[in-house]
Amino acid sequence: MKQRVWIILFVVLTSCNSKTETPVKAKKVYDMYVPSEMSKLMLDMYTHNLELKQQIINGQSPTQFPNHFLNIHSAQLSDFQIRDQQFKSFSNLFITAQKEIYNTTSTLNLKDRFNNTINTCIACHSKICTGPIPKIKKLLIK
Ligand code: HEC
């Protein structure tokens, strides 16, 4: 039981609190920490969008919507997270926005579509998991 509490505490400290640095106390349990499916998907979404940002800045057009992003609807969450109605709505908003980036018939420019997507990341995070927000905000194209 005690172990479980530590694991939960660590996850809270790493993914969902507002401090950017991991407190020394939590580092002790590092080797017990197993990232959730959702954590892994999120890191992948982050990396993908970081690459997209660079492509868009370089004037390239993104090619294909990464279908595995749809796993946001089913990926197993860390214990303390709940996939409630609000979460589902935010997931849908995000997927719709991300798909628009690849919509070649869109009338909105690519930069705006990209920033809209990042804003849906931030919208969900501001309700559910505030820790990564500063990192996510850096994705926005100025
Ligand atoms: C529907 C809500 C929602 C949306 C949309 C969303 N996230 Fe997340 N994100 C979460 C939740 C919940 C977690 C914590 C996952 C867990 O611990 O199981 C998380 C975790 C993260 C993490 C921390 C991962 C880790 O464990 O280190 C990053 C970084 C992140 N998200 C980036 C993003 C980016 C970038 C986007 C948009 C491209 C995005 N998120 C969209 C809910 C969301």
Side-chain angles (χ1 to χ4, degrees):
M1 184 57 198
K2 202 174 170 206
Q3 233 184 356
R4 195 175 164 83
V5 170
W6 271 112
I7 292 170
I8 292 169
L9 181 62
F10 181 72
V11 173
V12 172
L13 290 170
T14 51
S15 14
C16 292
N17 88 343
S18 51
K19 295 197 187 85
T20 42
E21 275 174 56
T22 310
V24 178
K25 247 185 177 175
K27 278 187 179 150
K28 279 197 256 176
V29 291
Y30 184 77
D31 53 0
M32 297 193 311
Y33 172 62
V34 181
S36 66
E37 271 174 30
M38 188 62 113
S39 272
K40 286 190 250 175
L41 176 63
M42 287 290 159
L43 292 175
D44 192 51
M45 281 162 38
Y46 174 81
T47 311
H48 180 87
N49 279 293
L50 191 62
E51 286 166 9
L52 272 185
K53 175 182 183 176
Q54 205 47 57
Q55 279 182 22
I56 293 169
I57 290 171
N58 294 344
Q60 295 166 279
S61 291
T63 48
Q64 217 194 347
F65 171 76
N67 271 315
H68 70 284
F69 282 10
L70 296 174
N71 292 341
I72 192 169
H73 298 304
S74 57
Q76 163 251 325
L77 295 159
S78 295
D79 286 357
F80 64 97
Q81 298 281 358
I82 303 157
R83 190 175 262 109
D84 58 10
Q85 207 45 53
Q86 178 178 248
F87 191 100
K88 288 177 189 165
S89 307
F90 280 125
S91 303
N92 285 329
L93 283 175
F94 161 71
I95 292 294
T96 306
Q98 182 92 52
K99 277 186 173 164
E100 271 306 294
I101 297 179
Y102 304 88
N103 175 4
T104 49
T105 61
S106 173
T107 50
L108 203 61
N109 73 54
L110 201 48
K111 178 189 152 185
D112 288 346
R113 278 179 279 153
F114 178 82
N115 282 343
N116 283 347
T117 305
I118 303 307
N119 282 323
T120 67
C121 308
I122 296 168
C124 183
H125 274 264
S126 62
K127 291 279 179 234
I128 286 167
C129 172
T130 55
I133 291 179
K135 185 174 165 179
I136 299 173
K137 276 192 173 160
K138 289 193 192 129
L139 289 173
L140 288 167
I141 301 174
K142 298 214 178 72

